[in-house]
Each structure stands twice: as C-alpha cells, then as structure tokens.
C-alpha cells in the first residue's frame, strides 16, 4: 500500500511540469475563476518607472497583494495616487508568470470612503470661500425674540425631538414650523435647498434652524453639497445650523449665520430663557415703579412750593405796574443820555467836516487851475517861438540848396520831351531826339544834333 501512495513507485504515472507551464496554468485558472473583482485597500510601496506604468501594493490589516496598473489605464485617474491612500480598485486577478507572483492588474481606481469625500469637501470649501460665501459681512444677526421659528430636519429623527424639547422649555410661547426633509441619502441635499427656498418665500419665520443628529462623514454629506450652500447664501432669513456633534463641521456651518455644535444648542441660541426674561422684566417693573414714585414725589413738592408762592392777582397787578414805571424812567434816562452822547459825537465830527467843505475845495481847485492855465500859455508861447525860428532856418537852408538856387547859378535841367524824365548822361540821348531844358527863367525845347561821350 505504501508503494501505491508513493508517486515515485510508478514511473509511468508521472506528469512532470516545468516552472513556466505551472505558472501559466495557474494564471489561466486564476483569470478564468475570478475574472474581474472590486477590491478596497491601502496603497503602499508605490513605484512609477519611466514606462508610465504604476506598481504598488494594496493591503488591509492582515494581508497584502501586489498590483500593476498600466499606462493606458492610469491616464484616466482623477487623482494622484499616494502611499497611505485608501482606494477602491476594479482589477483582473492574474499571476506574473516570470516570477510566479500573484497580482492584480488594475483597470480603474478611485478614492475610497472618507478620503474622496474629504478631498471633495476641501475643493468645494476652497471654491466657495474664494467666492465670498463664508465672509462675515454676509452674516445676519439673529432676532432677540423671534415671532416664529422654522426647523428644517427629519421629522422622525432625534434632532427634532431635542429641538422641540429645548424650545418648549426655554420659551414655549414662540410658535414652531417644521419643514420635514430627508437628511441623508440620494436627493437629500436638493430637498434641504427647496425647504430653505420655501421657508423664505412664505416669510412666516424670523429664523431657521437647519439640523440633524450625528453620523459619519458620509451620513452628513448632504450638508456639504453646493446646492445647500447656495440656498443658504441667498436666503433672506437668518439660518442657524446644528449638524451632528460638536466635532462635526460641514459646508453648511461655514455659510450659516450662526453655527451651533448640536441641534439642542441651536435651539438654545434662537430663543431666550423665559425665566431669565421674566426676572429681567420684573427688574424693569421694580425700577419703573421706583422712578415713577420719585417723579410723583418731586411733582408733589413742586406743587406745594407753588401753592406757597401763589399771590392775589391785584397784588400781582400792582407789582407789574410799579415795575413798568421803573422801566419807563430808566428808558427816559437812557434816551437822554444817548441824545447827549450823539450831540457830542456830532460836534466832534463837524469840525473836520467844516475843514473839508465842498466850496473851499472847489475854490482851491479853481485857483490851481488858473495857475496851471497861465503856465500852459507861457509854455505854448515859448514852444511856438522856438518852432518858428527852426522853420525859418530850415526855409533859408532849403532856399540855398534847393533846385531853384542851382538854376539861378546858370544851370539847367534837361528832361525828355516824351516822358519828362531827367537826363543825367549823354549816353541816355540819341541824335535827333528832342529834349526840354528848364532854366531859372523860362524853358527851351532842344533838338540834339550830336552826342559826345563823357571822355
């Protein structure tokens, strides 16, 4: 029996595999059995050679598996893979035959769980912050005592019970309107945004509470959606958020006019404590009664003083008559004193005015004008005498050097007969030409017989 169990006892029963055949058969069995699988794990030992392929290990708490992602697939990645990142991969189960290593050939990969959500949260937060949706200038103050409070939350969750309990305990007189919405899952964000718009359109509430209980990041994701942030930003009513626990923080908390750590704290922030308000109003009442008592006492004292000072009208009339006489006498004395003062001033001003009387000024100007007239006449006579002497001298000089004097000394002026132009040289005349000679006495008409040059 031992020989039958031992493969070496029957040499004809051996089927010897090569290493290559074994690895190839094992790879075929793996690929036919598993086809493609979805797998989640943490990236480690990430390598990026120049070929563009990626090689890494996916691991969990207990095991790990080698992975390869070829260039044609990793080009479509929407994020840069890094060591320590939690991912969800769609891969083909295979075996690298050359090394006999079990591996996954990854065809698609995305961030898994909270990692992807946290990245989406940070991206939306940065974009909305750049647009100014979180700025303090957009925060509206809450009313001191609202007429009505709107609550946007799930109608069956613990948050609505906590809010109603706190509001009923602190200020039960304020009415509350519940806007029921789903607070997680598909369509929750759109439902919350519609509820905010409807509450603002109805305008029956002075403040809105947007709340839900605690949960994971995935559970609270409806409050990280852009549609909710946009609706809160355009809302015309102040909004207080109470989402999750104190450590939870959402995009809605950043846009809200006030962020409360829990739904109960949100309820406490929108209404005052009724007992504190009652005590406050009792204090106001006591102070008002005391102030009114002091004011009435003061008025009573004034009335008593006025009653003591009250006199008979006839006596009052005599007093006023006496005061009128005294005032009339003071007025007469003041008028007389004013008249005397004006007379003194008038006499003071009359003396210089007499020195500057118009008739004296006119006489002085008339005398000066006479003097100036005499001086002007003398200057004109002297100037005319000098001008006459100059004219006579110029006339004598003109007579001595004028053309007539030259003619008197035996000279003549020759003129052309046709144009009466003066002839200055023999070259200007031709034989047979007719000239006109002007003498000191009379004139001659000459016919030129011959012309001799200057030389």
């Amino acid at each position: 029996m031992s020989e039958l169990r031992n493969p070496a006892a029957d040499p004809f029963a051996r089927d010897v595999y090569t290493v290559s055949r074994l690895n190839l058969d094992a790879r075929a069995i793996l690929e036919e059995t598993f086809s493609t699988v979805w797998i989640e794990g943490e990236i480690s030992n990430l390598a990026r050679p120049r070929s563009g392929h990626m090689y890494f290990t996916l691991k969990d708490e207990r095991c790990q598996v080698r992975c390869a992602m070829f260039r044609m697939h990793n080009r479509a990645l929407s994020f840069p893979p890094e060591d320590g990142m939690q991912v969800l991969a769609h891969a083909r189960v295979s075996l690298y035959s050359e090394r006999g290593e079990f591996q996954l050939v990854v065809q698609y990969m995305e961030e898994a769980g909270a990692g992807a959500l946290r990245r989406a949260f940070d991206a939306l937060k940065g974009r909305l912050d750049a647009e100014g949706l979180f700025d303090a200038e957009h925060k509206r103050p809450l009313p001191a005592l609202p007429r009505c409070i709107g609550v946007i939350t799930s109608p069956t969750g613990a948050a609505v019970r906590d809010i109603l309990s706190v509001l009923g305990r602190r200020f039960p007189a304020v009415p509350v309107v519940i806007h029921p919405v789903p607070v997680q899952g598909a369509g929750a964000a759109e439902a919350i945004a519609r509820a905010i718009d409807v509450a603002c359109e109805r305008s029956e509430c002075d403040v809105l509470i947007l709340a839900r209980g605690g949960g994971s990041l995935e559970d609270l994701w409806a409050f990280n959606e852009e549609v909710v942030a946009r609706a809160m930003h355009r809302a015309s009513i102040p909004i207080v958020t109470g989402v999750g626990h104190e450590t939870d923080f959402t995009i809605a908390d950043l846009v809200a006019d006030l962020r409360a750590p829990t739904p109960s704290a949100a309820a406490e922030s929108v209404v005052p404590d009724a007992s504190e308000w009652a005590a406050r109003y009792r204090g106001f009442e006591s102070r008002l009664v005391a102030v009114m008592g002091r004011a009435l006492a003061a008025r009573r004292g004034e009335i008593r003083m006025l009653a003591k000072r009250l006199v008979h009208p006839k006596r009052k009339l005599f007093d006023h008559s006496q005061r009128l006489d005294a005032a009339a006498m003071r007025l007469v004395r003041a008028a007389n004193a004013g008249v005397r003062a004006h007379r003194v001033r008038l006499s003071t001003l009359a003396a210089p005015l007499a020195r500057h009387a118009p008739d004296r000024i006119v006489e002085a100007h008339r005398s000066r004008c006479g003097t100036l007239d005499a001086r002007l006449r003398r200057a004109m006579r002297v100037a005319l005498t000098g001008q006459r002497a100059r004219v006579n001298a110029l006339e004598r000089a003109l007579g001595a050097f004028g053309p007539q004097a030259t003619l008197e000394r035996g000279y003549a002026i020759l003129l052309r007969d046709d144009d009466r132009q003066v002839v200055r040289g023999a070259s200007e005349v031709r034989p047979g030409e007719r000239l006109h000679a002007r003498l000191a006495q009379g004139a001659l008409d000459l016919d030129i017989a011959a012309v001799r040059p200057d030389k």
Side-chain angles (χ1 to χ4, degrees), residues 64-204:
Q64 64 182 18
V65 61
R66 292 288 298 170
C67 299
M69 190 170 187
F70 299 123
R71 182 174 56 187
M72 67 180 68
H73 297 303
N74 62 36
R75 286 176 178 175
L77 287 175
S78 61
F79 68 98
E82 297 177 359
D83 285 337
M85 184 177 290
Q86 194 77 11
V87 296
L88 179 65
H90 186 247
R92 178 168 51 85
V93 179
S94 183
L95 184 139
Y96 185 38
S97 57
E98 293 185 9
R99 295 183 182 176
E101 293 182 351
F102 173 70
Q103 71 173 6
L104 299 178
V105 179
V106 179
Q107 299 172 344
Y108 170 79
M109 187 164 60
E110 64 184 27
E111 292 183 90
L117 293 179
R118 177 57 60 184
R119 184 180 294 273
F121 176 89
D122 293 337
L124 180 60
K125 177 183 174 183
R127 182 157 53 85
L128 296 183
D129 189 16
E131 293 182 23
L133 266 68
F134 307 152
D135 293 349
E137 61 186 23
H138 299 309
K139 308 297 182 184
R140 290 155 295 199
L142 304 184
L145 181 61
R147 295 178 293 106
C148 182
I149 300 172
V151 179
I152 302 175
T153 188
S154 172
T156 59
V160 68
R161 294 192 295 271
D162 294 342
I163 291 172
L164 293 178
S165 175
V166 172
L167 294 178
R169 171 174 50 84
R170 287 178 63 85
F171 217 102
V174 179
V176 180
V177 176
I178 305 295
H179 296 271
V181 294
V183 292
Q184 71 180 66
E190 290 74 12
I192 293 172
R194 284 195 301 271
I196 294 173
D197 292 338
V198 169
C200 293
E201 290 175 3
R202 293 169 62 176
S203 298
E204 60 185 348

Side-chain angles (χ1 to χ4, degrees), residues 39-56:
I39 184 169
E40 182 176 351
E42 179 184 334
I43 295 177
S44 65
N45 301 322
L46 178 65
R48 298 172 181 267
R50 290 186 177 181
S51 62
H53 309 320
M54 287 194 306
Y55 301 96
F56 54 92

Side-chain angles (χ1 to χ4, degrees), residues 208-280:
L208 295 176
I209 297 177
L210 178 60
R212 69 148 286 160
S216 64
L217 181 60
E218 292 85 352
D219 295 336
L220 303 179
W221 192 251
F223 298 87
N224 290 321
E225 294 284 358
E226 182 175 359
V227 64
V228 174
R230 299 287 182 187
M232 295 177 66
H233 181 67
R234 66 173 174 266
S236 57
I237 301 174
I239 299 177
V240 178
T241 55
V243 179
H245 301 300
E246 187 170 358
T247 57
D248 297 322
F249 218 96
T250 65
I251 296 293
D253 294 324
L254 297 173
V255 184
D257 299 288
L258 178 66
R259 184 251 176 184
T262 62
S264 299
E268 291 182 358
S269 66
V270 298
V271 292
D273 190 345
S275 59
E276 293 179 0
W277 270 54
R280 187 178 176 187

